[in-house]
Amino acid sequence: MENKIGKIISRLRSEKGMNQRELASVLGVSNGAIGMWETGKREPDLDMVSKIAAFFNVSVDFLVGNTEQTDSNVPAVSCPEIAKRISDLASSSHKNINELRASLKTQILSGYCSNMDDFIQDVYAISDFFGVTDEYILGGKEFEARTDYSSMLDANDSKFLSLFRQLNECNRDIIFGDMQRYLKEQRYEESVAAEPLLKQAK
């Protein structure tokens, strides 16, 4: 049997500039599953076919090779797990997701996304907003391994981290250098201030 669906998945993935790992994270399957579909060794089940079609904004008929692609009646991708993950992240942070809501292009916060390009852009925007990677938002390995330190931060810590994450690498290096210099100066000042006390103790 000709591997129509595998070739179409591979083409759609390539057109969107995604690698197999990224697609696997979005669909909630292993990297190997994507590879087996694309090489024709296995085929996705019917539920997964619908999910893939929705994600790539194409019809199921197009995905299985029965029709040419059309723009009409294209299903939307369902992303309730991602929406819950974002909600949990918002609850555990000091940031208000409503500050970002107006700039989002999809209904990702409600678990409903109809355009893949807009969906990916929203994932990037949300990951930048919370200071995590897109892999964390999509539920990849980083999500499973991540330790949440947000509860340990006060408002000033969170504000500093938020601003620091917006800097490019060069400016981050400058900040690191300044912080090390100020820390050395602070330790010197503390040691000078402590000298009279040490003399009295003797």
Side-chain angles (χ1 to χ4, degrees):
M1 178 187 290
E2 186 182 355
N3 178 32
K4 287 184 179 179
I5 189 169
K7 290 178 180 178
I8 293 171
I9 291 172
S10 178
R11 191 183 88 199
L12 291 171
R13 177 179 60 76
S14 297
E15 286 174 354
K16 297 302 180 184
M18 300 179 75
N19 59 37
Q20 290 184 350
R21 180 188 62 79
E22 290 168 332
L23 181 57
S25 292
V26 171
L27 297 177
V29 299
S30 67
N31 297 357
I34 304 295
M36 286 189 284
W37 296 343
E38 293 186 357
T39 57
K41 293 178 181 176
R42 293 186 67 180
E43 290 189 356
D45 61 28
L46 292 177
D47 287 342
M48 185 55 66
V49 168
S50 297
K51 189 173 183 179
I52 295 167
F55 180 75
F56 284 114
N57 212 27
V58 298
S59 69
V60 169
D61 280 342
F62 170 76
L63 188 62
V64 297
N66 290 340
T67 63
E68 294 297 319
Q69 185 173 1
T70 64
D71 294 327
S72 61
N73 300 318
V74 176
V77 64
S78 176
C79 52
E81 299 89 356
I82 292 174
K84 183 179 185 310
R85 198 150 36 249
I86 295 168
S87 176
D88 291 345
L89 188 57
S91 297
S92 66
S93 74
H94 298 285
K95 292 194 169 185
N96 184 354
I97 190 64
N98 289 323
E99 296 174 11
L100 186 65
R101 190 181 296 272
S103 65
L104 298 178
K105 299 179 179 180
T106 70
Q107 297 297 316
I108 188 171
L109 300 180
S110 302
Y112 179 87
C113 316
S114 57
N115 180 283
M116 203 281 289
D117 288 330
D118 290 343
F119 168 77
I120 294 297
Q121 289 304 312
D122 282 354
V123 168
Y124 290 155
I126 292 167
S127 64
D128 286 345
F129 182 75
F130 286 112
V132 298
T133 67
D134 52 301
E135 182 182 16
Y136 176 79
I137 298 296
L138 295 173
K141 290 180 181 178
E142 182 182 322
F143 174 73
E144 299 299 331
R146 182 176 186 264
T147 301
D148 187 5
Y149 297 103
S150 59
S151 61
M152 300 167 61
L153 303 177
D154 64 21
N156 285 332
D157 292 336
S158 297
K159 184 177 179 181
F160 173 81
L161 287 174
S162 175
L163 293 171
F164 184 77
R165 287 185 179 120
Q166 296 176 46
L167 296 173
N168 61 33
E169 187 175 348
C170 180
N171 286 327
R172 288 184 182 189
D173 288 342
I174 293 171
I175 294 297
F176 275 129
D178 286 345
M179 289 173 68
Q180 289 173 336
R181 179 167 53 86
Y182 291 136
L183 185 57
K184 286 179 182 177
E185 291 175 1
Q186 178 179 301
R187 287 175 177 163
Y188 174 75
E189 290 169 358
E190 289 171 351
S191 68
V192 169
E195 281 180 7
L197 297 175
L198 290 173
K199 288 178 180 177
Q200 289 177 5
K202 291 178 180 179

